[in-house]
């Protein structure tokens, strides 16, 4: 639909992604100038790795660059929101997966833990389901990022489960034309199976055992403890 809110959201998304892409190009050029090589898989310059880490954080919506995610998701239709929170995460995550050994590990962990905490706590006071799913996306991106340099396969597993659950949730919301939490209580009388399905998906996204969404979080916490990142594991568990 052609309205001001959709246009505003599109411009916000374009500005953030274009800025992040320019920063990535700057990091590549700066690294090539310092090391005489154009490859991304051996970024040895410290400033280049820091700039690249921040640019990818902007693309993925990691804290403190997360403010655009809830606003853009709230201002676009449900179908567009589903694409934004699922398909659009694949390209930045694939870059993160491939160049994770070269990135600034300490900065990456700081951004990831901040995202998990802000994503978990930010969705508490929301009544719009699209904003809740946006904060869920921020938190899940934090979980994926924190483990990418230790066990990248867990990042891919978490991404696949997150995409499946988020797409299912958006399809249910689109089918029932539901955008607010208040409408879920009224939906129980109209379609009980659909309401139960949506509740299960939301609990799975929250990581409640024994649902599927709990598995990658448990594995990530286990790997962090094995690699003596106990403080990081505790902060993630509190989120």
């Amino acid at each position: 639909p052609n309205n001001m809110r959709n246009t505003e959201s599109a411009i916000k998304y374009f500005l953030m992604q274009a800025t992040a892409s320019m920063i990535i190009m700057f990091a590549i050029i700066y690294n090539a100038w310092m090391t005489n090589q154009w490859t991304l898989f051996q970024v040895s310059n410290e400033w280049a790795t820091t700039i690249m880490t921040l640019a990818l954080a902007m693309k993925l919506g990691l804290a403190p660059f997360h403010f655009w995610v809830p606003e853009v998701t709230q201002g676009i239709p449900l179908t567009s929101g589903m694409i934004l929170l699922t398909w659009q995460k694949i390209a930045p995550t694939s870059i993160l997966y491939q160049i994770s050994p070269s990135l600034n590990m300490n900065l990456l962990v700081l951004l990831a833990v901040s995202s998990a905490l802000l994503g978990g706590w930010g969705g508490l006071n929301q009544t719009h389901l699209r904003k809740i799913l946006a904060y869920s996306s921020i938190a899940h991106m934090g979980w994926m990022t924190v483990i990418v340099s230790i066990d990248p396969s867990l990042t891919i597993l978490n991404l696949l489960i997150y995409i499946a659950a988020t797409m299912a949730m958006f399809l249910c919301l689109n089918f029932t034309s539901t955008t607010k939490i208040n409408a879920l209580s009224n939906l129980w009388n109209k379609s009980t199976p659909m309401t139960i399905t949506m509740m299960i998906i939301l609990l799975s996204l929250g990581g409640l055992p024994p649902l599927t969404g709990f598995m990658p979080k448990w594995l990530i916490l286990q790997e962090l403890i094995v690699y003596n990142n106990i403080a990081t594991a505790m902060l993630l568990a509190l989120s």
Side-chain angles (χ1 to χ4, degrees):
N2 187 15
N3 57 58
M4 292 299 294
R5 189 67 189 274
N6 289 350
T7 305
E8 178 188 352
S9 299
I11 291 173
K12 284 180 180 177
Y13 178 77
F14 171 75
L15 289 176
M16 288 299 301
Q17 296 297 321
T19 303
S21 298
M22 286 189 291
I23 294 173
I24 290 176
M25 289 301 298
F26 172 75
I28 294 170
I29 295 169
Y30 180 74
N31 181 68
W33 179 45
M34 298 299 292
T35 62
N36 293 322
Q37 59 182 0
W38 286 95
T39 178
L40 279 178
F41 301 103
Q42 296 176 354
V43 183
S44 55
N45 186 272
E46 183 179 352
W47 281 104
T49 58
T50 301
I51 294 170
M52 185 72 71
T53 305
L54 293 174
L56 288 173
M58 291 177 67
K59 276 193 167 293
L60 290 170
L62 296 176
F65 309 107
H66 67 285
F67 298 103
W68 64 273
V69 181
E71 296 299 322
V72 171
T73 307
Q74 179 62 27
I76 56 179
L78 287 169
T79 307
S80 302
M82 179 181 69
I83 296 172
L84 172 66
L85 297 183
T86 55
W87 181 260
Q88 296 298 328
K89 303 292 183 184
I90 295 176
T93 307
S94 66
I95 297 174
L96 186 69
Y97 176 87
Q98 294 178 68
I99 67 173
S100 56
S102 302
L103 294 178
N104 190 326
M105 177 61 184
N106 294 327
L107 180 59
L108 207 60
V109 170
L110 179 63
L111 294 172
V113 172
S114 301
S115 299
L117 292 172
L118 286 171
W121 291 96
L124 290 178
N125 199 29
Q126 302 297 329
T127 57
H128 294 274
L129 290 168
R130 279 176 290 187
K131 277 196 174 183
I132 292 174
L133 290 172
Y135 279 107
S136 171
S137 171
I138 295 168
H140 277 85
M141 288 299 113
W143 281 86
M144 294 176 210
T145 305
V146 77
I147 200 65
V148 70
S149 58
I150 298 175
D151 192 349
S153 59
L154 282 181
T155 300
I156 301 301
L157 174 65
N158 200 343
L159 180 65
L160 292 175
I161 293 175
Y162 162 76
I163 287 176
T166 304
M167 287 186 69
M169 188 64 198
F170 268 102
L171 290 173
C172 289
L173 294 176
N174 195 30
F175 180 76
T176 58
S177 300
T178 305
T179 57
K180 291 187 177 182
I181 291 181
N182 299 337
L184 289 179
S185 58
N186 301 326
L187 188 63
W188 179 266
N189 299 325
K190 299 178 182 178
S191 178
T192 304
M194 182 65 72
T195 309
I196 295 173
T197 302
M198 292 167 70
M199 291 297 107
I200 292 174
I201 295 171
L202 283 173
L203 292 175
S204 181
L205 282 171
L208 188 73
L211 299 173
T212 310
F214 172 71
M215 178 181 63
K217 294 185 177 182
W218 173 256
L219 294 174
I220 288 171
L221 290 176
Q222 190 175 13
E223 286 295 319
L224 288 173
I225 293 171
V226 168
Y227 281 85
N228 293 322
N229 290 329
I230 299 175
T232 304
M234 289 179 63
L235 288 172
L236 288 174
L238 289 173
S239 66

